Amino acid sequence: MSSWYDHAIIYQVYPKSFQDSNGDGIGDLNGIRQRIPYLQKLGINAVWLNPIFVSPQVDNGYDVANYYAIDEQIGTMAEMDSLIKELHAAGIHLILDFVLNHTSDQHPWFKDALANPDGLYRDYYIFKGHDNRRPNNWGSFFGGSVWEPDPSGTGESYFHLFDKHMPDLNWANPEVRLSMEDVARFWLGRGVDGLRIDAFIHIAKANLDQDFPTTADNSQPVLAEPFYANLPQVQSWLRPFSQRIRADYPDVFLLGEAASANVNLAVDYTSPEAHLMDSVITFRYFPTTNTGIDSAIATNLQPASIDWPEFKKTQVTWQQTLSGVSRPILYWGNHDMARVMTRVAHTPVAAASLAMLMYLQQGTPIIYYGEELGMENLHYDTVAPFADGSVDDFVETAQKAGYSAADALTMASATHKMPARGPMLWDDSAHNGFSTHKPWNDGRSDETASAERQSSDPHSMLSFYQQLIQLKQQALFEDGDYCLLSTGDDTYVYRRQLGQQTAYVVINLSSQKTVITLPAAAAQVMLSAGDYTVNDQQIILGAHAGLALSV
Ligand code: NOJ
């Protein structure tokens, strides 16, 4: 049976950075409503909103203090109801971020857990240990230990995989599972069409009594992924949740964030018999090389080049392995990584070709807001806006290693997630039409042309994305078979085939001119980026150029 999400082209909106309607420098729900005509014109048919719930904003909304109310910076419940209604009237489905692995430490459940160690809510979280000693050496994704001493003084510690203000829920407790199901039902009942399930692979933890084996100093916390990612209970706990929800909302789209899942786990999570997710987002799409990386300073904050041969292997593996199982998620960026223009493409032609490469494959595109304009990461001149201690350390270490502070900030600006969350470039007025106020996330922005300017230019990135989205909606690109062609490391060429229809997507990954010979003569250029010549079977592509052709 076909569902709406089999044809979804998803647009990811970071609510705080999309459009401010009340002049406080923070994007909001009314702002998103105002921009529905833009989304319609772009041609997308689903929006994923990053978290909008009441939150102290320690992690920009992923620290939820009330799942049943909208954060006052972002809007009201009445505005949310209107947004859902107006999106639907425009033919756009809505996917909400559903944060089920942890809450904020300001959530009433956690406050009660601290206030009443013998109460019901204590077991909603993971408390362990004595004398404020860490029960094990496991490290948090946000640095330091996963354990934080109970501030109410019991001597126990509580578990947090992310920030210490984001305690993990205890999914081993059936009450927690039912409480989170209630939350999901509340939003689906209000008309939401799908849930992007945050960090679901982490809900189960291994035996907490054991340290993670390490050769380093055992008193220092170490990342212990095998002890808190993709454990079998993830599936057994989520299966009843998904099944019960689907029984009442058969058309719900469950999109799981499975950062470290490999393709085989993706099969486990998305095969229809598993009754878990419809699709998953992996973070394993973009292997990089070590070329030019300085091992004396943190590698994750240094710009790295994509390892194209490895990338190709990864893509074809996901395409083939998920074929007939579920739709791969196709994306180049999101709020957790530097923008594709800054990280990978560097030029508009390359960005357009890469978009073609990715989105015309089998699967569901997710376009990160502003990507369709070619937006780049912001540039920060100080460490403060990163709001991340690891950047402070990086700048300090880099200076000791001989870099200037400015160089270190340039590297961090080009690689960190925060500068990828800059305000949308709507027009050429002050603050680019995003707000009348200084934006909450302020930095030097690039020379990218605004949406307004691009909308009247048929050769702009925005116009290209509009055409690409239309092309993707052809049955050939939604449902056709995928087959990678062997054409060398510097090119990425694949065939899509449906009945009598065949198309080739031909991309030059290098800055050198290249010649590719197709198995059949080209009939029509469906979409192009950069310089090219087509002579029957022979295709000549200029630097970073790309083509979609029918034969
Ligand atoms: C994944 C989200 O994408 C990220 O932004 C967040 O920090 C963590 N999950 C924790 O919720």
Side-chain angles (χ1 to χ4, degrees):
M1 196 187 69
S2 168
S3 302
W4 67 267
Y5 48 83
D6 291 328
H7 311 285
I9 312 273
I10 303 173
Y11 186 81
Q12 181 187 350
V13 169
Y14 201 69
K16 289 171 76 175
S17 299
F18 197 57
Q19 176 67 66
D20 173 20
S21 72
N22 61 356
D24 62 359
I26 302 170
D28 46 45
L29 298 180
N30 270 341
I32 301 170
R33 275 170 65 193
Q34 288 168 12
R35 295 300 182 175
I36 292 176
Y38 172 85
L39 299 175
Q40 257 184 314
K41 203 163 162 226
L42 180 58
I44 57 90
N45 55 24
V47 162
W48 152 29
L49 284 189
N50 288 99
I52 51 167
F53 318 106
V54 173
S55 163
Q57 306 288 328
V58 168
D59 187 21
N60 283 296
Y62 283 96
D63 48 321
V64 180
N66 183 352
Y67 290 99
Y68 294 100
I70 307 292
D71 194 276
E72 61 180 17
Q73 290 182 335
I74 289 175
T76 64
M77 193 57 93
E79 288 164 5
M80 182 63 185
D81 288 340
S82 305
L83 177 64
I84 298 174
K85 212 163 108 212
E86 290 178 30
L87 282 171
H88 285 171
I92 299 174
H93 292 87
L94 182 61
I95 301 164
L96 281 196
D97 226 306
F98 183 55
V99 189
L100 47 54
N101 176 68
H102 45 267
T103 68
S104 160
D105 61 356
Q106 298 307 304
H107 193 288
W109 297 338
F110 192 69
K111 288 186 173 175
D112 193 282
L114 294 188
N116 300 300
D118 298 322
L120 174 72
Y121 289 105
R122 188 80 172 178
D123 197 36
Y124 264 49
Y125 296 90
I126 304 168
F127 285 89
K128 205 173 165 55
H130 52 87
D131 301 323
N132 291 332
R133 286 215 300 266
R134 295 167 182 168
N136 57 43
N137 68 347
W138 305 1
S140 146
F141 287 137
F142 282 11
S145 168
V146 296
W147 296 103
E148 181 67 16
D150 175 356
S152 59
T154 58
E156 290 189 319
S157 296
Y158 69 85
F159 186 104
H160 62 90
L161 204 43
F162 297 91
D163 192 272
K164 69 176 182 192
H165 297 293
M166 297 156 75
D168 279 43
L169 285 162
N170 175 19
W171 269 73
N173 177 352
E175 295 290 333
V176 166
R177 309 204 289 258
L178 291 176
S179 295
M180 292 317 290
E181 188 179 319
D182 286 346
V183 175
R185 285 177 182 284
F186 174 81
W187 288 106
L188 294 170
R190 288 196 104 86
V192 162
D193 307 285
L195 303 172
R196 178 266 189 192
I197 307 189
D198 185 66
F200 80 92
I201 59 171
H202 301 300
I203 59 173
K205 279 85 182 168
N207 186 334
L208 300 168
D209 289 331
Q210 53 201 338
D211 277 342
F212 192 73
T214 173
T215 48
D217 171 5
N218 208 34
S219 65
Q220 291 306 311
V222 287
L223 283 181
E225 188 109 356
F227 284 177
Y228 45 57
N230 300 305
L231 296 180
Q233 292 88 340
V234 169
Q235 298 184 37
S236 49
W237 290 339
L238 279 177
R239 187 163 295 115
F241 168 93
S242 299
Q243 281 177 318
R244 282 202 294 262
I245 284 180
R246 280 184 215 281
D248 292 335
Y249 299 95
D251 222 15
V252 64
F253 178 44
L254 299 181
L255 168 61
E257 185 215 18
S260 62
N262 61 25
V263 71
N264 295 344
L265 277 165
V267 170
D268 292 350
Y269 290 139
T270 63
S271 73
E273 309 81 64
H275 302 290
L276 290 164
M277 305 292 157
D278 294 298
S279 284
V280 290
I281 305 171
T282 177
F283 274 32
R284 296 199 164 193
Y285 260 14
F286 310 112
T288 53
T289 68
N290 287 330
T291 316
I293 298 292
D294 182 349
S295 56
I297 52 174
T299 50
N300 64 323
L301 290 170
Q302 299 177 58
S305 310
I306 297 276
D307 183 337
W308 291 112
E310 275 305 309
F311 170 84
K312 211 190 277 192
K313 272 190 226 156
T314 310
Q315 289 299 313
V316 72
T317 304
W318 282 75
Q319 290 285 305
Q320 299 305 335
T321 313
L322 289 186
S323 187
V325 177
S326 64
R327 288 183 181 264
I329 291 296
L330 309 172
Y331 74 101
W332 274 113
N334 59 38
H335 64 292
D336 284 329
M337 59 181 73
R339 284 185 174 274
V340 59
M341 186 63 144
T342 310
R343 202 181 83 243
V344 191
H346 311 299
T347 68
V349 167
S353 291
L354 293 178
M356 222 185 311
L357 180 168
M358 181 62 79
Y359 301 136
L360 293 178
Q361 299 188 109
Q362 264 173 189
T364 305
I366 303 185
I367 298 165
Y368 185 49
Y369 79 99
E371 175 189 323
E372 75 281 14
L373 303 179
M375 271 172 66
E376 296 181 30
N377 266 25
L378 296 175
H379 187 284
Y380 297 150
D381 293 324
T382 62
V383 288
F386 290 98
D388 179 349
S390 75
V391 177
D392 301 34
D393 297 344
F394 175 73
V395 174
E396 206 183 303
T397 327
Q399 281 177 279
K400 281 185 194 142
Y403 296 85
S404 68
D407 285 345
L409 287 164
T410 299
M411 286 192 266
S413 295
T415 49
H416 197 266
K417 63 187 180 182
M418 213 45 155
R421 302 170 176 179
M424 178 74 173
L425 302 176
W426 290 111
D427 59 38
D428 297 328
S429 64
H431 308 308
N432 294 102
F434 163 71
S435 175
T436 50
H437 190 279
K438 186 166 130 52
W440 72 278
N441 188 2
D442 199 22
R444 267 192 284 134
S445 77
D446 55 69
E447 296 301 307
T448 308
S450 65
E452 187 180 59
R453 242 191 296 158
Q454 294 201 30
S455 63
S456 53
D457 174 2
H459 303 295
S460 66
M461 186 72 87
L462 180 57
S463 301
F464 177 86
Y465 263 75
Q466 281 165 341
Q467 295 167 49
L468 176 59
I469 289 168
Q470 271 180 22
L471 189 59
K472 173 68 184 181
Q473 283 167 325
Q474 291 189 7
L476 172 62
F477 290 107
E478 279 189 343
D479 303 320
D481 282 348
Y482 166 99
C483 179
L484 184 79
L485 269 61
S486 171
T487 53
D489 283 354
D490 287 343
T491 52
Y492 191 110
V493 181
Y494 58 90
R495 185 180 68 214
R496 300 297 312 265
Q497 201 158 28
L498 186 69
Q500 296 308 306
Q501 280 184 292
T502 303
Y504 288 92
V505 177
V506 187
I507 309 291
N508 181 3
L509 299 168
S510 80
S511 51
Q512 308 301 314
K513 193 169 165 186
T514 190
V515 181
I516 293 155
T517 306
L518 291 180
Q524 195 205 340
V525 172
M526 303 165 114
L527 190 62
S528 70
D531 299 328
Y532 68 89
T533 314
V534 176
N535 288 319
D536 292 332
Q537 287 172 254
Q538 197 191 58
I539 315 292
I540 305 171
L541 292 177
H544 298 292
L547 283 181
L549 306 145
S550 62
V551 295

